[in-house]
Each structure stands twice: as C-alpha cells, then as structure tokens.
Amino acid sequence: NAGVMQNPRHLVRRRGQEARLRCSPMKGHSHVYWYRQLPEEGLKFMVYLQKENIIDESGMPKERFSAEFPKEGPSILRIQQVVRGDSAAYFCASSPQNLQDTEAFFGQGTRLTVV
Amino acid sequence: RKEVEQDPGPFNVPEGATVAFNCTYSNSASQSFFWYRQDCRKEPKLLMSVYSSGNEDGRFTAQLNRASQYISLLIRDSKLSDSATYLCVVNSPGGSYIPTFGRGTSLIVHP
C-alpha cells in the first residue's frame, strides 16, 4: 500500500513561470491537505480538498495560487508566475475521513526553487 | 496570539538525558492532538497521538491538559537518533478540522 506520493520531488522554475505540484493520496483517502514550509519555518496550512471540492482555502494566497482535486487523478497545486518568495517545500497530506479524531499522512514533499 | 506555540529551542542534551517539550494551543474547541517528528528536509511523521488520560510509547510520554490548553512530550533515555524537530499538531475546527502545526522544537542529542 503506497503512501502519499508527491511529484516532482524537486522543481526548479525561473521567475514568471508556472509550477505544478502533484499529490496522489493514499489508497482509500479522499481528503487532501496542502502545506507550505519556508526555510527555518513551520508548516503553514494552505488548502483542504475533497474529491472535486475545495473545502477550506483560508491559507491560500489570494493571487497566483490555485488547487484542485479532480474525480480522477492526483490533486494539483498550481502556482502561476512564480516569484523567489515561492521557494519552499510543499507538503501534501491525506486522510480517509474528516480529521476530527485521526491523523494525516504526509508525502515526501516537493521542493520548489525559483531562480 | 499564534494558534499553536512551541519553544523552538534548540534543546541540546547528552545521550541518556530526559527532555520535555511543551506546546500551547489557543482554540479550546480543538479535538485531537499529536506529536510529529520531522528530520531535516524530510516530511513530518507521526510520533504519537495525545490522549486526555496521557499515553506512553516506549521512551515517549505524551500528556494533554485541556484546562490549561497545553500538550507535553517527555523523552526518556535520549538517543542520538532522537535528534530531530518535534512538531506539535492540533486538529482545530473551523468548519472542518485542519491540522495546525506549531513551529517545532529542535532537539540535538550529543554523545
């Protein structure tokens, strides 16, 4: 049973390009959470999705960032017109249900470097 | 006030020492609590859940004090391999339950 899979593991983009980060949740998990971790900082919540629905996007920057979790395929975090400040580790987590009483499982992350 | 606060450390201790970390949370409606461990540049991994009655897993003991809204982690007989960042995580309601992370406490165990 594969864990949460994220790809690519490392992504280098020039300023102004688009970055697409993919997350495949664990089998049987329909809840996905995206976090960003800046160097020497903690994990900051960005967005929570279920299949075809954004449940909570209170942590998403208002511009350039979007996320989706289609009926088929992985969840995608998309960053348009990247800037140097977007350089960070982006982690995805999944869970089989609402997290009232259970933990989330994390992927290995995508490290985005904007040059 | 931050939702989940931790002393960032670092805590620098010799092998065999006992070390304790605390974490405070602001949302009294929070339902579930965890300690995660994060090694350098890797993903967070669940160390243990934290239950109201307190729970132990080998050398690790977690406690929850709902009245004071804090969580603790005690590590006994520290090993070199315990060196990592320990993240306090609180699942807080806000329409949905979102894991909210503390900034983490860095532990360095030296010979």
Side-chain angles (χ1 to χ4, degrees):
Chain A
N1 185 12
V4 179
M5 304 299 292
Q6 289 188 249
N7 66 81
R9 294 287 305 280
H10 300 275
L11 181 62
V12 179
R13 284 287 176 267
R14 295 185 185 279
R15 282 180 293 171
Q17 290 185 319
E18 178 179 287
R20 281 187 175 233
L21 288 62
R22 287 176 290 278
C23 170
S24 296
M26 286 179 70
K27 188 176 181 180
H29 288 194
S30 59
H31 299 243
V32 166
Y33 308 79
W34 284 95
Y35 288 81
R36 175 165 64 176
Q37 187 173 32
L38 295 168
E40 308 303 323
E41 295 287 330
L43 277 79
K44 300 297 183 189
F45 167 73
M46 299 182 76
V47 62
Y48 164 35
L49 310 102
Q50 292 180 32
K51 285 283 187 182
E52 300 185 277
N53 286 304
I54 295 175
I55 306 302
D56 187 325
E57 56 182 346
S58 57
M60 285 279 270
K62 293 289 185 278
E63 298 177 348
R64 303 189 298 108
F65 286 72
S66 62
E68 62 177 4
F69 189 13
K71 187 177 180 181
E72 301 291 338
S75 175
I76 306 286
L77 179 67
R78 182 181 177 203
I79 311 172
Q80 295 178 291
Q81 298 175 316
V82 295
V83 300
R84 288 237 171 99
D86 297 331
S87 296
Y90 291 82
F91 290 100
C92 165
S94 75
S95 67
Q97 61 194 50
N98 174 292
L99 283 175
Q100 183 171 354
D101 296 309
T102 188
E103 75 275 13
F105 297 84
F106 281 82
Q108 292 180 302
T110 293
R111 276 165 183 76
L112 172 65
T113 302
V114 180
V115 298
Chain B
R1 181 183 174 187
K2 290 184 180 178
E3 287 192 60
V4 180
E5 293 204 58
Q6 294 181 252
D7 179 350
F11 284 63
N12 203 320
V13 303
E15 273 187 288
T18 295
V19 61
F21 308 136
N22 288 329
C23 164
T24 58
Y25 61 95
S26 60
N27 190 335
S28 60
S30 300
Q31 290 286 341
S32 48
F33 310 88
F34 307 91
W35 284 100
Y36 278 72
R37 169 187 171 138
Q38 186 175 31
D39 292 281
C40 186
R41 300 179 67 79
K42 294 191 174 180
E43 77 275 22
K45 292 186 177 178
L46 179 69
L47 180 65
M48 59 196 303
S49 302
V50 186
Y51 303 119
S52 296
S53 55
N55 48 299
E56 189 174 304
D57 182 1
R59 298 181 293 109
F60 299 84
T61 301
Q63 297 275 356
L64 167 63
N65 184 320
R66 284 191 184 271
S68 301
Q69 293 180 208
Y70 81 79
I71 306 151
S72 64
L73 177 68
L74 182 76
I75 306 176
R76 291 180 298 278
D77 189 23
S78 299
K79 312 291 185 192
L80 296 177
S81 58
D82 292 335
S83 298
T85 297
Y86 290 83
L87 305 169
C88 174
V89 182
V90 176
N91 286 0
S92 299
S96 51
Y97 282 87
I98 304 294
T100 302
F101 284 75
R103 186 176 172 178
T105 298
S106 175
L107 172 65
I108 301 169
V109 182
H110 58 81

